[in-house]
């Protein structure tokens, strides 16, 4: 395709502040936890991630979604050879926002997220439009990556998911396309099996998986059994459900790569695109601390594009003030609705690529 060839030739690397420490911010964060006196906690981290901050001269007030896509891309390019060969025409670098906008338009032209494309009138290049999880998923899916979306919210708002593009998740925005964009109990990979199991009985899950087993690729069978669906109780208190999900995502045993010490673990998990009304951030890990009542206390570990990279680096180097910037407990989750976009291992081809063109989600009730 001539348009793609031109984009590959013209795109340039996004500028960002390079943290001058081996392993970047994640290694600095790991070091801080290793020095922490609280040795009873367990910390699960993604691998290397570059932090992309919004800039006053470029994208402040509207660019957080693009910056989070850049953060996820930096991890994929660093950790996954298969993704590096495919992302952004095999360029090997993270493009600047205008070129990401072009890649989204190309994803739309290929048929990914037709409803989202219509919402934007098929054009975002040069605009200041807010974007969200659907655009994140559309870009990565267009390269064959298995990007999935999870919706969290109250039962009475379930019909409003999944959202129309943008960071506004209000029902007035979401109702127009919600019924078209959702497809109940869509099951592709191991995390989806866990999600369906949380909100339906196991017999339903079995029949869904068996029905799809004739047409889906073999990666579903590789290490993907019902243990993930049954590992946690079905009902949790409010927003704790979201933290349970994130813990489960990062703690999948087969995806652990190394243990820094007894309580800091580096995983193979891709960071999570974390969306709520008005803003989006990137989850790079989670901390778990045991409590007397048996319910773990979790802290999400977040890189916020609104923060300055220099300030993040300084606080981590000095081991002072970084917790206020990075750690977020359940008490900070005050929004009624949240979305996550995650990326499963492997590359989609053939019929699976066609299935990925329709952006849908799994709903989990708060």
């Amino acid at each position: 395709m001539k348009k793609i060839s031109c984009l590959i030739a013209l795109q340039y690397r996004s500028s960002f502040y390079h943290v001058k420490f081996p392993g970047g911010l994640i290694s600095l964060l790991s070091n801080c936890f290793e020095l922490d006196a609280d040795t009873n906690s367990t910390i699960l981290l993604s691998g290397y991630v570059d932090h992309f901050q919004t800039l006053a001269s470029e994208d402040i007030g509207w660019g957080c979604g693009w910056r989070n896509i850049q953060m996820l891309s930096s991890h994929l390019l660093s950790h996954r050879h298969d993704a590096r060969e495919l992302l952004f025409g095999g360029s090997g670098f993270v493009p600047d926002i205008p070129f990401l906008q072009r890649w989204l338009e190309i994803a739309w032209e290929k048929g990914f997220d037709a409803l989202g494309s219509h919402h934007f009138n098929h054009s975002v290049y040069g605009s200041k439009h807010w974007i969200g999880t659907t655009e994140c998923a559309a870009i990565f899916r267009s390269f064959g990556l298995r990007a999935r979306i999870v919706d969290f919210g109250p039962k009475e708002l379930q019909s409003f998911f999944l959202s129309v593009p943008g960071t506004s998740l209000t029902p007035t925005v979401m109702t127009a396309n919600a019924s078209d964009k959702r497809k109940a109990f869509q099951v592709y990979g191991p995390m989806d099996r866990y999600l369906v199991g949380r909100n339906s009985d196991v017999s339903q899950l079995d029949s869904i998986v068996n029905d799809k087993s004739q047409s889906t690729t073999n990666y579903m069978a590789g290490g993907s059994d019902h243990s993930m669906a049954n590992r946690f109780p079905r009902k949790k208190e409010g927003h704790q459900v979201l933290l349970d999900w994130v813990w489960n995502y990062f703690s999948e045993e087969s995806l652990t790569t190394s243990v820094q010490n007894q309580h800091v673990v580096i995983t193979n998990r891709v960071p999570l695109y974390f969306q709520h009304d008005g803003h989006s951030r990137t989850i790079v890990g989670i901390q778990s601390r045991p409590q007397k009542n048996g319910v773990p206390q979790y802290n999400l570990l977040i890189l916020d594009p609104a923060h300055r990279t220099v300030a993040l680096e300084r606080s981590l180097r000095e081991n002072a003030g970084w917790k206020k910037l990075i750690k977020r407990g359940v008490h900070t989750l005050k929004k009624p609705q949240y979305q996550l976009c995650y990326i499963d291992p492997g590359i989609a081809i053939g019929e699976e690529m066609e299935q990925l063109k329709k952006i849908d989600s799994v709903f989990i009730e708060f």
Side-chain angles (χ1 to χ4, degrees):
M1 189 183 208
K2 185 176 180 181
K3 186 179 289 188
I4 295 177
S5 299
C6 290
L7 179 54
I8 293 171
L10 293 173
Q11 68 182 348
Y12 54 79
R13 186 188 306 266
S14 181
S15 60
F16 65 97
Y17 177 81
H18 291 265
V19 174
K20 301 172 180 64
F21 187 85
L25 290 177
I26 298 300
S27 288
L28 286 170
L29 180 58
S30 176
N31 289 348
C32 287
F33 276 117
E34 289 173 10
L35 295 171
D36 199 326
D38 179 17
T39 57
N40 290 324
S41 66
T42 300
I43 297 91
L44 306 178
L45 297 170
S46 68
Y48 183 91
V49 183
D50 287 316
H51 179 255
F52 288 79
Q53 68 179 57
T54 53
L55 301 174
S57 60
E58 294 183 19
D59 62 305
I60 195 166
W62 61 270
C64 58
W66 299 107
R67 297 305 185 184
N68 290 308
I69 290 173
Q70 289 179 322
M71 285 193 243
L72 268 62
S73 298
S74 72
H75 175 91
L76 289 164
L77 291 170
S78 175
H79 287 267
R80 283 184 50 176
H81 179 72
D82 56 354
R84 187 179 182 87
E85 289 184 338
L86 295 170
L87 280 173
F88 315 121
S91 65
F93 60 78
V94 179
D96 208 358
I97 289 177
F99 299 103
L100 288 179
Q101 291 175 327
R102 286 294 196 201
W103 282 115
L104 178 58
E105 291 176 351
I106 287 173
W108 288 339
E109 290 176 13
K110 291 179 177 179
F112 291 88
D113 192 20
L115 288 169
S117 176
H118 178 74
H119 174 83
F120 284 113
N121 197 24
H122 317 293
S123 176
V124 288
Y125 178 74
S127 74
K128 296 182 179 180
H129 290 306
W130 289 2
I131 63 164
T133 52
T134 52
E135 289 68 53
C136 177
I139 288 178
F140 287 125
R141 285 182 177 203
S142 70
F143 295 111
L145 298 179
R146 292 165 171 150
R148 325 286 191 194
I149 295 176
V150 193
D151 283 308
F152 298 85
K155 183 70 173 178
E156 58 268 24
L157 295 182
Q158 181 175 359
S159 62
F160 297 134
F161 291 93
L162 90 53
S163 79
V164 173
T167 54
S168 179
L169 302 181
T170 58
T172 54
V173 175
M174 296 168 64
T175 50
N177 291 338
S179 61
D180 293 328
K181 296 194 78 172
R182 283 187 50 79
K183 187 173 183 180
F185 298 128
Q186 189 83 347
V187 180
Y188 292 116
M191 291 309 297
D192 285 346
R193 294 188 174 204
Y194 162 68
L195 289 168
V196 173
R198 287 293 296 272
N199 292 286
S200 59
D201 64 43
V202 176
S203 62
Q204 274 187 296
L205 176 62
D206 287 339
S207 62
I208 293 162
V209 172
N210 290 336
D211 288 344
K212 283 187 169 286
S213 64
Q214 301 302 317
S215 59
T216 34
T217 52
N218 289 335
Y219 84 96
M220 283 183 62
S224 176
D225 56 29
H226 300 325
S227 62
M228 192 169 290
N230 297 326
R231 189 177 299 169
F232 297 102
R234 300 291 172 86
K235 295 293 182 182
K236 287 288 185 177
E237 287 293 326
H239 291 65
Q240 182 72 21
V241 172
L242 190 154
L243 280 82
D244 287 339
W245 189 95
V246 174
W247 173 260
N248 184 76
Y249 173 81
F250 280 104
S251 64
E252 179 65 9
E253 294 176 4
S254 62
L255 292 163
T256 298
T257 57
S258 64
V259 178
Q260 300 297 96
N261 60 30
Q262 289 187 344
H263 73 126
V264 180
V265 180
I266 306 298
T267 76
N268 267 339
R269 278 302 193 186
V270 180
L272 296 164
Y273 185 115
F274 183 38
Q275 180 78 56
H276 59 78
D277 186 16
H279 193 39
S280 61
R281 295 167 287 174
T282 297
I283 299 175
V284 297
I286 187 167
Q287 178 189 28
S288 173
R289 301 175 62 187
Q291 297 185 104
K292 291 182 179 180
N293 62 5
V295 178
Q297 179 188 30
Y298 292 125
N299 287 303
L300 299 176
L301 306 175
I302 287 175
L303 293 182
D304 191 332
H307 291 155
R308 294 172 61 243
T309 313
V310 172
L312 286 169
E313 180 186 22
R314 183 187 306 116
S315 66
L316 289 167
R317 283 184 179 274
E318 296 175 357
N319 197 15
W322 63 269
K323 295 180 181 180
K324 292 182 179 180
L325 296 174
I326 294 175
K327 291 176 66 171
R328 295 291 182 270
V330 68
H331 64 283
T332 67
L333 302 180
K334 301 182 183 300
K335 300 290 184 177
Q337 305 165 47
Y338 289 89
Q339 286 182 317
L340 293 174
C341 181
Y342 68 95
I343 300 176
D344 268 334
I347 301 296
I349 58 173
E351 178 60 27
E352 187 184 353
M353 279 290 281
E354 289 300 310
Q355 293 174 351
L356 290 177
K357 288 182 178 180
K358 181 180 176 64
I359 306 293
D360 49 28
S361 74
V362 175
F363 177 83
I364 298 182
E365 179 185 355
F366 276 155

